[in-house]
């Protein structure tokens, strides 16, 4: 059998995301406070199965700040990420105040140092829903293992080609 190589030109769509990297000193006071709230709560995580302690702190438009750690379950899918817990709490108790900033940090229980972390797909989708619900973008701050902070303005850079880019009823 003879196979011939056909040279189709495949059209490519290149997606790009803008993410800022800042040193701690470059953050403003509000951003620093939010990160430190996330760091405090991370240490109280209930994560006996992963030993990964995540902290998330949210700033609402009305100035309120709330935080949560991850809460695991022996039946793994019943556990919840820190981001979803804090956004759920904020949405349930402050249905009229948009979340405007979310700080995320993580460490391994046995380590002193902070670890790299990045929100999971379901949490990205949850942040997207908060943006949709309130019509405001959520700035995401992520502490990295180097000590620098990633700042992402809105969920789009973390969730390219998201469902609502195509779903016309959204
Ligand atoms: N986790 C979070 O809470 N947030 C993230 O952004 C990443 C993962 C939790 C889920 C689970 O309890 C543990 O970290 C390990 O995956």
């Amino acid at each position: 059998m003879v196979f011939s190589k056909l040279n189709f030109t495949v059209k490519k769509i290149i997606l790009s995301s803008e993410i800022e990297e800042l040193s701690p000193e470059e953050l403003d006071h509000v951003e620093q406070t939010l990160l430190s709230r996330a760091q405090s709560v991370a240490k109280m995580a209930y994560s006996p199965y992963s030993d990964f302690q995540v902290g998330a702190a949210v700033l609402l438009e009305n100035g309120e700040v709330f935080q949560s750690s991850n809460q695991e379950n022996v039946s793994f899918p019943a556990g919840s990420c820190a981001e979803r817990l804090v956004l759920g709490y904020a949405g349930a108790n402050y249905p009229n105040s948009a979340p405007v900033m979310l700080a995320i940090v993580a460490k391994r229980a046995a380590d002193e140092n902070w670890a790299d972390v990045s929100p999971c797909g379901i949490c990205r989708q949850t942040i997207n829903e908060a943006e949709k619900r309130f019509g405001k973008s959520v700035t995401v701050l992520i502490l990295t293992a180097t000590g620098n902070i990633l700042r992402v303005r809105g969920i789009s850079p973390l969730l390219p080609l998201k469902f609502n880019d195509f779903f016309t009823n959204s």
Side-chain angles (χ1 to χ4, degrees):
M1 196 179 283
V2 179
F3 289 100
S4 61
K5 200 172 166 193
L6 297 172
N7 285 319
F8 288 116
T9 307
V10 177
K11 184 182 172 194
K12 293 184 183 166
I13 299 168
I14 311 290
L15 303 171
S16 65
S17 289
E18 190 176 292
I19 296 177
E20 300 166 303
E21 182 176 0
L22 305 119
S23 64
E25 308 76 52
E26 291 177 293
L27 297 182
D28 68 23
H29 180 65
V30 171
E31 292 168 328
Q32 284 175 1
T33 303
L34 208 59
L35 269 176
S36 87
R37 292 278 286 262
Q39 287 176 305
S40 303
V41 79
K43 293 172 182 164
M44 297 188 281
Y46 177 66
S47 52
Y49 307 105
S50 71
D51 280 337
F52 198 58
Q53 303 181 305
V54 184
V58 67
L59 169 69
L60 302 189
E61 204 174 16
N62 68 3
E64 299 258 24
V65 172
F66 302 105
Q67 60 282 315
S68 184
S69 59
N70 51 329
Q71 299 290 308
E72 296 186 346
N73 193 290
V74 63
S75 171
F76 289 4
S80 184
C81 293
E83 298 93 316
R84 253 174 299 144
L85 285 173
V86 79
L87 286 173
Y89 179 85
N93 291 283
Y94 294 84
N96 299 314
S97 196
V100 290
M101 199 176 283
L102 180 71
I104 307 165
V105 307
K107 64 187 281 300
R108 298 192 182 278
D111 282 359
E112 282 293 303
N113 299 331
W114 295 96
D116 282 319
V117 66
S118 189
C120 76
I122 300 176
C123 287
R124 291 174 197 218
Q125 194 66 42
T126 304
I127 297 166
N128 170 66
E129 195 65 30
E131 291 193 343
K132 252 173 86 351
R133 175 176 175 177
F134 295 97
K136 282 244 150 134
S137 89
V138 177
T139 294
V140 180
L141 301 176
I142 301 172
L143 182 63
T144 70
T146 66
N148 281 351
I149 295 94
L150 304 180
R151 184 168 63 198
V152 193
R153 298 191 185 275
I155 195 60
S156 286
L158 295 176
L159 199 61
L161 298 184
K162 58 188 180 299
F163 185 45
N164 41 310
D165 291 343
F166 301 95
F167 185 55
T168 48
N169 286 343
S170 67

